[in-house]
Amino acid sequence: MKCREVQIREMQFTVQRDLVAKNGRVSPWASLKRGTRGCLHQLLAFGLVFVASAPAVAGPAGVSNADLSTAERDSAPFNFDVVRNGDSARTAQTSQVETREAVVVGGGLAGLAATRDLLRAGTDVMLFEGSQRFGGRVMTVDDPFGLGLRINAGAELVDSTHTEIRALARELGVLIVDRPVASIENRVDQAGRWVGESDFLRNLSAQDSRALEALSKWRASEDVSLAAKLRSVRASVALYEYVARAMESEWGRTPEQLNRQVFFDTFDVRREDDARGRSTWRIELLPHNDEKSFFSRGSESLVEALVDKIPAGQRALGWRLKSVEELPEPREPGRRYQLALENERGQQRVVQTAKLLLAMPEASLREVEFRVPGISRQVTQANAQWAQNSKIVLYFSARDWSPFAGLARDPRGGLAFQMWDSSLDARGPGAAITLYTGQLASRTQVESAVQHALNLLRSRGEGAHYVGYATHEWTRSYPGADRPGPRREASRVRRHGEIYFAGDAWSEEHKGYMNGAVEAGRARALEILLTSGKQCAVMFR
């Protein structure tokens, strides 16, 4: 079968606010059901809490559905709550069987990019997304305090090496611009005060030189947790805490839950010789990315452009994949797999297809029932690692600090977080700082972390114009978040029969980034085209 020649490169985007009312007001934590310097990944669900800086009032000022106009309810992007600072029927219906040449499940960047490429090659493809919005972890929001800011609640920055995302943006006419500063000061929280990262690490490395030398010799065959290894090399309390902060804020997991791979993916441990020829060992966070650029209208502008390329009849929101069954002996060509999907009202759709691309977060894959010989064990064992992450965005009416990035832990609530200046990339007269962390346990924990962050700023004479904060939480996947044990990346399943897997965790190089999602989605789309017998001239950058 021939298809027109295509060059693979090249979302109308509607999101709805689903206000969760509780006791006459919006429940702020009802939306938080699923929470390194800039590494963000797959998203299952976003939740929001807004807290305004204002004089205390008698009780929390909630917002209900009745407080919003119809237009606001139809266009708003999140579940949300607004409070003052200091206030702490399903009907089963089954449709007839549908048939598609290919089906893509998952409307993040991987699924959107793959669907677009398949459409350009003339494939009859249908895209299903389980949530009420496309984009996955990519989301850009307006601030809730009238400061004129637009902040990336999910994926934020683009590296110089992210060639796939840059090429796709050029094809779609989405503008990527460089950040307006050449350097950013790195800080570390030491006893509740900011200190320079270089001085902190110099002193830490001198104190733990022997432990670092032993860590550098950690063999891949040693099946122990990071915590056990740190204890065995007699790491100091300061070294253990520094490593734990970085791991918990990046992966939402403790050193007890992480392995050798994630340690060396995160840290560089090396020997250095001074001018007198004396050797010492040094540890520092790896420069995973240069975080050079960002989307001028927010990362979601790429999502909007992609959705716009997919006809409305070939994309659907709110349909979650429940099961995948391999048909024993398809009576008609093009009907190898049968998919069962369901929406929140209990309505069901049954779709049969010859090609299936699962561009879903790995945590979502665990919820799918696979009745496909050989695939259940592979999916649950090889493709089922994930981590929880959150952003707490602090809003300010004016910026009174120089660009910085820091690593901290709130001693009261225990939350470890990375902290960076987001207002470099925001549009508007206000300013913002992001706290990047693991899963959020409660509002009390969040507000304690916010207060600690403000104290750190004020120790440097900064943060005087604080207004309030918002929270965003999601689930992400990445091989580095595997359980303690040998490297498992080689066992990751990319294809089983005519079922294909995509997402940032399946990319060849840029795992955990927007670039990795696009890379993997387009690679699987190319495989589907080639295995369909379509002689397409497909060119990758």
Side-chain angles (χ1 to χ4, degrees), residues 373-386:
I375 202 173
S376 178
R377 177 182 58 81
Q378 292 171 322
V379 169
T380 57
Q381 292 186 7
N383 288 346
Q385 306 306 317
W386 72 95

Side-chain angles (χ1 to χ4, degrees), residues 427-476:
R427 304 177 68 198
I433 288 175
T434 290
L435 311 187
Y436 184 73
T437 185
Q439 187 173 13
L440 304 178
S442 66
R443 180 184 288 185
T444 299
Q445 182 194 50
V446 170
E447 294 188 344
S448 180
V450 168
Q451 187 58 56
H452 184 64
L454 292 173
N455 290 340
L456 287 170
L457 289 169
R458 289 162 184 166
S459 73
R460 296 277 295 260
E462 302 165 340
H465 304 284
Y466 173 66
V467 175
Y469 72 84
T471 65
H472 316 268
E473 187 171 12
W474 65 94
T475 301
R476 67 189 257 203

